[in-house]
C-alpha cells in the first residue's frame, strides 16, 4: 500500500519493481483521502503500470482487509502460475534443444498425427517441421521396416501402453537408419490418454558395431587355432573353443585363471616373458610351446603374442594366437631320421657291398672258394637289410593322410590274429597274450605290421630268432586310450633310442641304429595315438597308446 502523498515520489520506482516481478503480479494499492476529488481520473493513467487499485479512506477495516486479501491472493496465484510457466518454458527449451528426437502425437485424433517435433527429430530424420507436423509417424517406415516391429508398436498404442523397440526407419533422402524408439502415453487428470510422447535416437552405429562384434565373435569361436586374450599378468580375459579344448580349462567358468597357472613352469616363464616384452615395447613376439596331452601325445604350437591397447580400465592386453605346428615338427623329425638312414645306415651297408665286391673283383684269382662265399654272404646280408628297410618304409606309407590310415578296431582280436602270423614267421619266439578280452580303439591300418617290426627289432637285438614277447591290452575307462604293451624280457633299449624317440628327432651325434621303432611311432601318431619306450627290471617295454573309439547308436 502507498499513500497519495508519497505516490508521486515513488511512482517510477514502483513501475520498475513491477517490471522486475513479471510475469508474477506485484500488486500496489493506493490509499487516497476523501478530500481528493475524482481520484480515478487523477491516478487512472497509472493503473496497470504502477498501481493495481485505489481505495478511498477512511474506509472500514473490513473493506480494507478484503481489498488487501484479494490482492495478496492474486499475488499468490500469480506466483504459482509464474513457476508453472517457468517450468513449462524450461521443459520446452529442454525438448527443443535435446540431442535426441522428441515428438508429441495427438492421441485423440483419428490418425494420431504429430503436433510437435523438436530440432533433434528434424536432424535425425531430415524432415522439417512443416513436413512432419500433421502426419502420422509411420511416414518414417520403408521397404526394410520389420512388419512384426510395426505390429508391436500398433498393439501398444491401441492398448494405450508404453513401448520400446529398435526399428529400421528411413530419412527424407531415403537413407536407412536404426531408430531406438520409445513411446510413452500422457494422461490428463481424468486418467485419459491425451497424447503420446515419442523419443527417437539414431542407434545405427551401435547396431552395426554389435553386428560386427557378433561376426568377430563367430570368427573367433570358429577358428581352429587356439586364441586367448590375456591381461599383462597373463590372466585369461577371453578364450575361443579351440583354446578351451587344448588347455582343457573352461575359462568362462573360471574368469580369474592365468595361462601361466596351467602350464609347466618352463613354459609359463616363456609366456610370462613374452607378455612382458609385448606390453613394455609393443613389439610382437613369437614363441614355441609344447603341450603333453592325456594320451601321452605331445603337440607343439607356434604362439604369436601381439599387443592390444584398450581404452577402458582393463589396461594393456595381449592377444596370443597359437598355431599347431606338431605335424611340421614331426615331419622335420622324420626327415632327420630318414636323412640319417640314407647317410649312415644305407651308406654303411653300401660301403660293405661295394668294398666286398671290389675286393672279390681284384683278388678273385687268388681267393679260395670259402673266402669268396664269405664275401658273397656279407654282400647278400647287407643287401637284404637294405631291401628290408626300403620295403618297411614303403609299406608304412610315410606320406599317407592320417585320416586315411586309421580305423576303429578291436585291439585284442587284432593282436591275437597278428600273434598267430608271427608265430609262423618266428617259430623260435615264445608269444603270450593277456589283458582285456575286448577294447575298441582307433588303430593305424598297419598295426599288424607295427607288431612285426617290433619283433623284428627285438630279433635283431637278440642276434637270433629266439626269445620271449609278451603282449598285454589294458582298457580302463575313463582313460582316453587303450594301451597295448609289448614286453621283451631280457632285452633293454639304449638311452639314445629312448631319448630320441621321446624327442621325436635325432641329433647329428646321437642317433638310433635302425628305423623300425620310428616307423611304429609314426604310424601310431598318424592315428592320433602315442608311443613310449622304457626299461623295467624284466626288460624293455614298448607301449602303444591307441585312442579309444567312440561308439555311436544306430
Amino acid at each position: 500500500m502507498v499513500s497519495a502523498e508519497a505516490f508521486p515520489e515513488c511512482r517510477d520506482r514502483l513501475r520498475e519493481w513491477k517490471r522486475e516481478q513479471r510475469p508474477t503480479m506485484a500488486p500496489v494499492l493506493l490509499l487516497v483521502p476523501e478530500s481528493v476529488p475524482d481520484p480515478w481520473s487523477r491516478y487512472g493513467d497509472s493503473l496497470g503500470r504502477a498501481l493495481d487499485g485505489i481505495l478511498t479512506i477512511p474506509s472500514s477495516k473490513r473493506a480494507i482487509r478484503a481489498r488487501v486479501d484479494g490482492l495478496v491472493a492474486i499475488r499468490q496465484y500469480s506466483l504459482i502460475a509464474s513457476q508453472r510457466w517457468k517450468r513449462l518454458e524450461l521443459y520446452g527449451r529442454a525438448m527443443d534443444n535435446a540431442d535426441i528426437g522428441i515428438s508429441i502425437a495427438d492421441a485423440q485424433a483419428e490418425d494420431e498425427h504429430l503436433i510437435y517435433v523438436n530440432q533433434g527429430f528434424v536432424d535425425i530424420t531430415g524432415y522439417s517441421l512443416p513436413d512432419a507436423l500433421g502426419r502420422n509417424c509411420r511416414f518414417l517406415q520403408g521397404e526394410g521396416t520389420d512388419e512384426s516391429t510395426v505390429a508391436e508398436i500398433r498393439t501398444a498404442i491401441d492398448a494405450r501402453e508404453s513401448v520400446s523397440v529398435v526399428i529400421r526407419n528411413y530419412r527424407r533422402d531415403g537413407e536407412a537408419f536404426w531408430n531406438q524408439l520409445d513411446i510413452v502415453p500422457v494422461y490428463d487428470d481424468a486418467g485419459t490418454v491425451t497424447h503420446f510422447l515419442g523419443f527417437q535416437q539414431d542407434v545405427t552405429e551401435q547396431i552395426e558395431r554389435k553386428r560386427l562384434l557378433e561376426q568377430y565373435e563367430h570368427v573367433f569361436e570358429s577358428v581352429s587355432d587356439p586364441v586367448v586374450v590375456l591381461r599383462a599378468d597373463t590372466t585369461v580375459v577371453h578364450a575361443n573353443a579351440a583354446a578351451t579344448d587344448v588347455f582343457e580349462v573352461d575359462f568362462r567358468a573360471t574368469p580369474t585363471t592365468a595361462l601361466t597357472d596351467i602350464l609347466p613352469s618352463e613354459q609359463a616363464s616363456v609366456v610370462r616373458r613374452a607378455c612382458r616384452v609385448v606390453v613394455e615395447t609393443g613389439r610382437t613376439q613369437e614363441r614355441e610351446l609344447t603341450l603333453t596331452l592325456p594320451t601321452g601325445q605331445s603337440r607343439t604350437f607356434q604362439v604369436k603374442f601381439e599387443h592390444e591397447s584398450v581404452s577402458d580400465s582393463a589396461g594393456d592386453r595381449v592377444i596370443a594366437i597359437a598355431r599347431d605346428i606338431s605335424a611340421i615338427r614331426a615331419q622335420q623329425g622324420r626327415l632327420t631320421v630318414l636323412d640319417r638312414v640314407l647317410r649312415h645306415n644305407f651308406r654303411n651297408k653300401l660301403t660293405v657291398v661295394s668294398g666286398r665286391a671290389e675286393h672279390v673283383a681284384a683278388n678273385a684269382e687268388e681267393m679260395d672258394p670259402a673266402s669268396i662265399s664269405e664275401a658273397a654272404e656279407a654282400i647278400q646280408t647287407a643287401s637284404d637289410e637294405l631291401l628290408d628297410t626300403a620295403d618297411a618304409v614303403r609299406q608304412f606309407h610315410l606320406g599317407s593322410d592320417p585320416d586315411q590310415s586309421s580305423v576303429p578296431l578291436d585291439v585284442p582280436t587284432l593282436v591275437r590274429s597278428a600273434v598267430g602270423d608271427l608265430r609262423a614267421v618266428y617259430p623260435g619266439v615264445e608269444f603270450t597274450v593277456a589283458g582285456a578280452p575286448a577294447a575298441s580303439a582307433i588303430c593305424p591300418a598297419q598295426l599288424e605290421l607295427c607288431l612285426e617290426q617290433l619283433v623284428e627289432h627285438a630279433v635283431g637285438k637278440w642276434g637270433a630268432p629266439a626269445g620271449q614277447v609278451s603282449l598285454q591290452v589294458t582298457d580302463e575307462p575313463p582313460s582316453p586310450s587303450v594301451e597295448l604293451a609289448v614286453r621283451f624280457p631280457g632285452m633293454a633299449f639304449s638311452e639314445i633310442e629312448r631319448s630320441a624317440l621321446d624327442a621325436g628327432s635325432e641329433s647329428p651325434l646321437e642317433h638310433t641304429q635302425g628305423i623300425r621303432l620310428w616307423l611304429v611311432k609314426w604310424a601310431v601318431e598318424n592315428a592320433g595315438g602315442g608311443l613310449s619306450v622304457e626299461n623295467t627290471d624284466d626288460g624293455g617295454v614298448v607301449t602303444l597308446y591307441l585312442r579309444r573309439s567312440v561308439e555311436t547308436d544306430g
Side-chain angles (χ1 to χ4, degrees):
M1 292 184 292
V2 62
S3 66
E5 293 79 3
F7 179 70
E9 297 181 3
C10 62
R11 176 187 298 159
D12 292 339
R13 283 181 292 168
L14 288 173
R15 287 179 177 177
E16 181 63 26
W17 178 67
K18 290 177 71 67
R19 279 196 298 269
E20 291 176 354
Q21 293 294 303
R22 290 176 184 169
T24 303
M25 183 181 180
V28 177
L29 179 62
L30 179 66
L31 301 179
V32 180
E34 290 181 342
S35 58
V36 176
D38 195 11
W40 294 99
S41 298
R42 185 172 181 177
Y43 299 104
D45 60 341
S46 296
L47 288 172
R49 298 180 181 179
L51 298 174
D52 294 285
I54 300 174
L55 179 64
T56 302
I57 54 174
S59 295
S60 67
K61 291 182 179 180
R62 184 175 181 180
I64 295 174
R65 185 174 183 84
R67 195 66 181 275
V68 171
D69 288 345
L71 291 176
V72 170
I74 293 174
R75 168 72 175 180
Q76 294 299 323
Y77 285 128
S78 71
L79 284 172
I80 295 173
S82 175
Q83 291 172 355
R84 289 180 177 178
W85 175 259
K86 288 180 180 179
R87 284 200 301 269
L88 290 173
E89 191 177 48
L90 174 63
Y91 296 158
R93 289 198 307 271
M95 291 172 63
D96 289 340
N97 299 320
D99 291 334
I100 65 172
I102 300 177
S103 59
I104 299 177
D106 186 352
Q108 304 295 320
E110 181 178 355
D111 200 31
E112 292 133 352
H113 60 264
L114 297 176
I115 61 172
Y116 169 84
V117 295
N118 71 342
Q119 186 61 40
F121 182 95
V122 174
D123 294 340
I124 292 173
T125 67
Y127 288 92
S128 65
L129 267 67
D131 293 331
L133 297 182
R135 303 173 66 185
N136 185 284
C137 209
R138 69 173 66 93
F139 67 83
L140 295 177
Q141 299 172 17
E143 181 180 358
T145 303
D146 181 55
E147 292 297 332
S148 63
T149 305
V150 174
E152 182 180 355
I153 297 172
R154 185 71 261 167
T155 300
I157 289 177
D158 290 343
R160 295 316 197 232
E161 296 175 348
S162 299
V163 64
S164 178
V165 297
V166 175
I167 186 171
R168 190 175 181 85
N169 282 157
Y170 293 83
R171 309 187 207 278
R172 183 183 177 87
D173 61 6
E175 180 188 8
F177 71 99
W178 288 102
N179 183 8
Q180 172 65 59
L181 174 62
D182 296 277
I183 300 177
V184 180
V186 179
Y187 298 86
D188 62 12
D189 293 339
T192 302
V193 175
T194 59
H195 299 85
F196 287 106
L197 184 60
F199 301 92
Q200 296 84 21
Q201 188 172 4
D202 185 350
V203 293
T204 304
E205 184 177 348
Q206 294 93 313
I207 294 295
E208 295 301 328
R209 185 184 298 115
K210 179 182 177 182
R211 288 186 173 181
L212 187 60
L213 288 174
E214 289 175 349
Q215 292 176 0
Y216 286 156
E217 180 70 17
H218 177 71
V219 173
F220 181 75
E221 290 297 336
S222 300
V223 68
S224 58
D225 290 334
V227 181
V228 293
V229 180
L230 309 171
R231 294 193 179 94
D233 62 358
T234 77
T235 299
V236 178
V237 180
H238 301 293
N240 66 351
T244 298
D245 291 340
V246 168
F247 295 109
E248 298 185 320
V249 174
D250 186 353
F251 293 104
R252 293 182 179 178
T254 54
T256 59
T257 300
L259 185 59
T260 49
D261 291 341
I262 60 176
L263 294 175
S265 58
E266 183 177 348
Q267 296 176 349
S269 298
V270 171
V271 171
R272 197 175 291 110
R273 287 195 298 270
C275 288
R276 184 169 59 250
V277 172
V278 169
V279 170
E280 292 178 356
T281 67
R283 294 196 302 268
T284 298
Q285 302 292 302
E286 288 190 2
R287 300 288 189 272
E288 280 193 15
L289 296 178
T290 300
L291 303 178
T292 301
L293 304 183
T295 60
Q297 183 186 21
S298 294
R299 292 173 64 182
T300 302
F301 293 90
Q302 184 180 58
V303 186
K304 179 180 289 186
F305 297 87
E306 296 184 343
H307 185 264
E308 180 201 46
S309 179
V310 295
S311 57
D312 59 21
S313 59
D316 289 313
R317 293 181 178 178
V318 177
I319 302 175
I321 304 173
R323 179 190 173 205
D324 192 341
I325 59 172
S326 303
I328 297 175
R329 291 292 178 260
Q331 190 65 19
Q332 290 174 342
R334 295 178 184 186
L335 290 175
T336 61
V337 174
L338 292 175
D339 178 65
R340 184 268 302 167
V341 170
L342 290 173
R343 288 188 302 104
H344 186 269
N345 294 38
F346 272 57
R347 185 173 181 177
N348 287 348
K349 301 301 181 184
L350 289 174
T351 298
V352 171
V353 172
S354 176
R356 291 301 184 104
E358 288 179 2
H359 179 74
V360 170
N363 303 285
E365 297 180 357
E366 301 175 0
M367 294 178 66
D368 57 69
S371 298
I372 294 176
S373 177
E374 180 185 352
E377 184 179 352
I379 292 174
Q380 182 66 48
T381 300
S383 299
D384 289 344
E385 290 180 358
L386 287 175
L387 290 173
D388 287 345
T389 300
D391 187 57
V393 171
R394 180 185 63 79
Q395 292 184 67
F396 271 91
H397 302 292
L398 293 179
S400 64
D401 184 349
D403 293 335
Q404 302 289 331
S405 61
S406 56
V407 291
L409 296 170
D410 183 67
V411 179
T413 300
L414 185 143
V415 169
R416 288 191 293 268
S417 174
V419 168
D421 294 338
L422 290 171
R423 284 179 177 139
V425 177
Y426 304 100
V429 178
E430 179 183 346
F431 293 93
T432 60
V433 179
S440 180
I442 304 300
C443 303
Q446 317 95 328
L447 184 57
E448 291 191 42
L449 186 59
C450 289
L451 298 179
E452 181 182 337
Q453 293 299 313
L454 290 177
V455 174
E456 187 65 31
H457 181 82
V459 169
K461 281 184 169 291
W462 291 329
Q468 293 181 344
V469 178
S470 171
L471 298 96
Q472 181 166 352
V473 178
T474 302
D475 181 19
E476 296 181 350
S479 170
S481 300
V482 174
E483 298 180 11
L484 172 55
V486 185
R487 303 178 183 275
F488 303 95
M491 185 199 78
F493 294 97
S494 69
E495 185 59 35
I496 291 178
E497 283 181 315
R498 295 174 58 223
S499 60
L501 289 165
D502 286 342
S505 62
E506 297 182 353
S507 67
L509 299 179
E510 293 187 346
H511 51 73
T512 61
Q513 295 301 310
I515 197 174
R516 301 185 187 281
L517 287 176
W518 285 109
L519 295 177
V520 176
K521 175 182 173 66
W522 296 336
V524 173
E525 288 180 350
N526 265 358
L531 176 144
S532 69
V533 177
E534 59 182 336
N535 292 321
T536 67
D537 294 338
D538 296 333
V541 181
V542 178
T543 303
L544 310 184
Y545 299 91
L546 307 172
R547 284 189 301 134
R548 185 187 308 282
S549 61
V550 179
E551 298 181 358
T552 58
D553 295 335

